[in-house]
Amino acid sequence: MKRVHSREVKQAAMERLQQRGVTIEGIAEIVYQMQAPYNENLTMDLCVESVRAVLEKREIQHAILVGTELDMLAEKGMLSEPLQTLVRTDEGLFGCDETLALGSVLGYGSIAVTTFGHLDKQKIGLIKQLDTKKDGSGPVHTFIDDLVASVAAAASSRLAHRLRDEEEKAVVSPSK
């Protein structure tokens, strides 16, 4: 049995994001919007670093590959019915896109989960651009908009936890 090297998986996931119009900076802008109210020293560089770290995770890469593949197959009309129509039209009651994306953020804790829910409802930045419910023409972004939300949510949670770690390190422990 052939094993796929993690380097290949990461490269494929990154290429797929690029093909679908997703940039690390675009995701980082969402992260910045979500975390700036809680961190006055937050920079875009920190947000980009956090997004990159999240994209290193195999579970995230796998979700990106599965979701984008389904979007692309739906664009080409290659899914069987009724799945073709459900994915093509981003049917409101079709929740598999959110389920896949949510599953990939679970390792980042409750902040990631609640942030994902917020982003899924509010459609901030790049997510709003990708959230396309069309008449059946044009690109299909049924999965990718939710996957972008999941990466942004995970990167936001990662930053929130790192901020707390830094605050705790700065506190001088009482002497004995």
Side-chain angles (χ1 to χ4, degrees):
M1 174 187 342
K2 179 187 178 220
R3 291 178 59 178
V4 179
H5 195 284
S6 60
R7 182 177 53 246
E8 292 176 62
V9 175
K10 179 184 176 190
Q11 181 179 344
M14 298 305 289
E15 287 173 3
R16 197 57 64 76
L17 288 175
Q18 184 180 15
Q19 292 166 356
R20 305 307 290 172
V22 175
T23 64
I24 290 172
E25 292 75 18
I27 300 172
E29 288 171 10
I30 299 166
V31 173
Y32 187 86
Q33 280 188 289
M34 297 307 299
Q35 288 301 301
Y38 309 105
N39 183 347
E40 63 188 33
N41 298 320
L42 187 64
T43 65
M44 276 299 292
D45 286 344
L46 287 172
C47 295
V48 166
E49 175 188 319
S50 193
V51 170
R52 286 187 193 281
V54 168
L55 289 170
E56 289 290 326
K57 297 287 189 181
R58 225 178 247 114
E59 293 84 0
I60 301 288
Q61 295 164 3
H62 293 165
I64 289 167
L65 291 175
V66 170
T68 56
E69 187 76 15
L70 288 167
D71 281 349
M72 292 182 338
L73 289 171
E75 276 178 14
K76 296 173 185 173
M78 296 178 71
L79 300 173
S80 60
E81 288 296 348
L83 184 60
Q84 173 65 35
T85 300
L86 293 171
V87 175
R88 175 55 126 163
T89 62
D90 198 2
E91 159 65 43
L93 295 178
F94 179 75
C96 294
D97 47 340
E98 285 89 0
T99 302
L100 177 66
L102 182 59
S104 68
V105 300
L106 291 176
Y108 287 90
S110 60
I111 293 172
V113 172
T114 56
T115 301
F116 173 77
H118 174 76
L119 291 172
D120 185 45
K121 288 293 177 203
Q122 298 304 313
K123 311 291 188 206
I124 295 171
L126 179 58
I127 300 164
K128 185 177 183 93
Q129 293 170 15
L130 292 169
D131 183 44
T132 54
K133 290 190 179 177
K134 299 219 175 183
D135 57 1
S137 63
V140 175
H141 293 148
T142 299
F143 284 87
I144 193 66
D145 64 327
D146 295 306
L147 291 165
V148 167
S150 73
V151 172
S156 294
S157 179
R158 184 180 176 278
L159 279 173
H161 285 281
R162 287 183 181 258
L163 174 63
R164 175 61 62 90
D165 292 345
E166 289 172 15
E167 289 171 351
E168 289 176 357
K169 285 178 188 172
V171 174
V172 179
S173 56
S175 49
K176 294 181 177 183

